[in-house]
Amino acid sequence: MRVLGVDPGLTRCGVGVVEGVAGRPLTMCGVGVVRSPADAELGSRLVAIEQGIEQWLDEYRPECVAVERVFSQHNVRTVMGTAQASAVAMLCASRRGIPVALHTPSEVKAAVTGSGRADKAQVGAMVTRLLRLNAPPKPADAADALALAICHIWRAPALNRLQQAHAAARSAPRTPVRKVTR
């Protein structure tokens, strides 16, 4: 499975592509950051992010895109920018028919480091180790994008089984319930 991880942000949107399957060594295919100028108009910034994500989709042809789920932050402006960048990544993938998965920051940290409260340095160190890199990817947004891709590869088999079980339960014929009276 080849996954494009996206750590959304308006100024720096981390992107990383990882290939592999759960239980086997993973391979980094590419890592980087899509940037937009902080002083540009919002629409122009979103277009820059879209163009950057589209280039990554063209070059690496992922089977899935894993995006960090936006969570509430104290700074509303920051969370809005993150949500907007996240939506652009989801739109780009969905337009191509590529499945999108959302993972929370604590879910990603727990999958990669074993602790949902790990700091950026711990995530970077584990990404470096898991992908057998010489040094942690810089900036941290890039390492976080790789962590998202790793998390999805490891969790996808279990998530697929859950989705299949849920679909089977919904489509199974219902047995009428008889009311028992005494």
Side-chain angles (χ1 to χ4, degrees):
M1 172 186 295
R2 181 177 281 200
V3 178
L4 170 64
V6 179
D7 181 36
L10 269 181
T11 305
R12 287 185 321 272
C13 185
V15 286
V17 180
V18 176
E19 191 168 56
V21 295
R24 297 277 174 112
L26 303 174
T27 304
M28 181 186 76
C29 302
V31 65
V33 176
V34 174
R35 297 181 187 275
S36 74
D39 59 349
E41 187 260 341
L42 177 61
S44 298
R45 295 180 80 183
L46 295 173
V47 168
I49 292 167
E50 179 202 22
Q51 291 170 342
I53 297 289
E54 290 289 350
Q55 288 174 347
W56 279 80
L57 293 172
D58 286 341
E59 183 173 349
Y60 292 100
R61 306 263 183 229
E63 298 165 55
C64 183
V65 174
V67 180
E68 184 175 274
R69 183 182 299 275
V70 177
F71 63 98
S72 178
Q73 296 173 332
H74 298 295
N75 185 340
V76 174
R77 286 186 62 166
T78 302
V79 78
M80 288 302 294
T82 302
Q84 291 161 336
S86 176
V88 169
M90 290 187 285
L91 174 68
C92 291
S94 296
R95 184 185 296 140
R96 293 171 180 238
I98 301 171
V100 175
L102 299 174
H103 298 283
T104 66
S106 58
E107 180 183 352
V108 174
K109 291 173 184 179
V112 175
T113 70
S115 170
R117 295 181 175 206
D119 62 24
K120 290 213 178 266
Q122 290 171 305
V123 172
M126 284 306 296
V127 165
T128 302
R129 187 172 178 195
L130 292 167
L131 296 175
R132 300 168 313 282
L133 305 175
N134 294 329
K138 299 285 184 194
D141 308 283
D144 289 348
L146 291 171
L148 275 152
I150 292 167
C151 173
H152 186 72
I153 290 170
W154 285 353
R155 296 184 62 119
L159 292 173
N160 289 340
R161 286 193 299 275
L162 284 171
Q163 289 171 344
Q164 290 169 354
H166 185 66
R170 281 194 319 237
S171 64
R174 292 185 174 193
T175 306
V177 177
R178 289 187 167 175
K179 186 176 180 182
V180 177
T181 57
R182 293 184 188 210

